[in-house]
Amino acid sequence: MSNALTIAVQDRVARITLSRPEVRNAFNDEVIQQLKAAFETVGARDDVRAVVLAAMGPAFCAGADLNWMRRMADYTREENLADAGQLAAMLQAIYECPKPTIAAVQGDVFAGGMGLVAACDMAVSVDTATYCLSEVKLGLIPATISPYVIRAMGARAAHRYFLTAERFTAQEAHRIGFVHDLVSADSLDAKVNELAQALVSASPAAVRACKRLVQDVADRAIDAALIAETVEGIAAIRASDEGREGVTSFLQKRKPSWLAG
């Protein structure tokens, strides 16, 4: 299979673009492997400070490819476990990418595609996009994507949209917090670039640590162990080279070293 996506890096921002518009950017096992490898590759690059996940065509991602679904219909339980494990590993690679990630949603998002958006740190959507967790209509459940989707939209909204499989608008996706910003189609790139610039302008080490902080703290009880970890976290970042440089440059009213060059 030819590459299902493209990767471009410019001004410290990597752009991974799903490029199978003829099948609404649906994924199969090969696409999943390519996505996982792409996020691992750009996540390790020193010249990348932010990652944008985008797509070509009228749909962002329609979930599973129909031909792949036909193959899955004959899978044994063991084959299904291995298959779902690959999808889970890809989503984890996006979620745990050491660089901050932005989903640039230019079109409809269905089923497994919801997991791609949810696994990113932030999402910008065109106001004409439609969203749907359609699995129960097929006798399935959105199990593998659920850790990310529930974190993104909250349990209350998940109760509704997991169970009804109804389509909902970009405005509703914004209301429930699944996407952060709604824009017109001709403003999508500008808004995504605005967010990417904010990420590129911040301390790389602090951004990486902040991403881990949110993941570590979310939904945990505020107990002695968590408080101790947060105290240790701020002490460590303050004592780091970039932490010292950031505070010093602020006090000296100059740009920090990571903005130089």
Side-chain angles (χ1 to χ4, degrees):
M1 186 182 106
S2 60
N3 280 346
L5 49 88
T6 60
I7 304 173
V9 177
Q10 184 177 1
D11 298 329
R12 300 180 180 178
V13 178
R15 191 176 184 93
I16 299 171
T17 305
L18 297 167
S19 52
R20 296 209 306 161
E22 69 280 2
V23 292
R24 297 173 62 80
N25 295 309
F27 51 70
N28 55 26
D29 44 0
E30 293 181 345
V31 176
I32 286 169
Q33 291 169 7
Q34 289 182 29
L35 270 171
K36 180 175 181 288
F39 274 89
E40 290 173 343
T41 298
V42 299
R45 286 180 58 161
D46 291 336
D47 61 334
V48 171
R49 293 192 186 172
V51 184
V52 175
L53 177 60
M56 294 173 56
F60 179 80
C61 179
D65 179 283
L66 291 178
N67 290 323
W68 186 39
M69 291 180 71
R70 290 188 187 101
R71 294 206 310 273
M72 282 190 286
D74 296 323
Y75 279 3
T76 64
R77 175 177 169 79
E78 288 69 29
E79 287 173 324
N80 272 308
L81 283 171
D83 197 66
Q86 290 296 313
L87 175 60
M90 179 266 284
L91 292 168
Q92 186 176 19
I94 298 175
Y95 186 68
E96 295 185 355
C97 179
K99 308 299 166 63
T101 53
I102 306 169
V105 182
Q106 94 298 352
D108 295 342
V109 186
F110 283 73
M114 295 283 289
L116 296 181
V117 176
C120 291
D121 294 308
M122 55 203 80
V124 181
S125 172
V126 296
D127 51 17
T128 53
T130 300
Y131 294 79
C132 184
L133 290 146
S134 55
E135 284 82 355
V136 294
K137 287 185 177 179
L138 305 178
L140 304 175
I141 60 173
T144 314
I145 65 173
S146 65
Y148 310 98
V149 176
I150 293 172
R151 277 173 171 79
M153 67 167 56
R156 189 63 174 162
H159 273 285
R160 173 173 175 175
Y161 293 115
F162 278 29
L163 299 176
T164 65
E166 64 192 297
R167 297 187 184 194
F168 56 96
T169 64
Q171 289 73 22
E172 175 68 356
H174 183 250
R175 187 190 71 81
I176 62 179
F178 189 74
V179 300
H180 294 90
D181 287 291
L182 290 186
V183 294
S184 60
D186 58 5
S187 300
L188 179 62
D189 286 344
K191 187 61 184 180
V192 170
N193 290 339
E194 178 187 324
L195 290 174
Q197 270 309 118
L199 297 170
V200 167
S201 299
S203 155
V207 167
R208 186 164 55 249
C210 264
K211 176 165 178 171
R212 290 299 313 169
L213 175 68
V214 175
Q215 293 173 349
D216 291 344
V217 171
D219 298 327
R220 282 182 57 182
I222 302 176
D223 56 16
L226 176 59
I227 291 170
E229 286 179 31
T230 61
V231 168
E232 172 62 31
I234 188 61
I237 200 76
R238 283 177 184 169
S240 71
D241 290 343
E242 282 192 12
R244 293 181 186 278
E245 167 63 11
V247 173
T248 301
S249 63
F250 174 76
L251 294 173
Q252 294 177 352
K253 298 183 179 180
R254 61 174 174 80
K255 288 185 177 180
S257 60
W258 59 80
L259 288 179

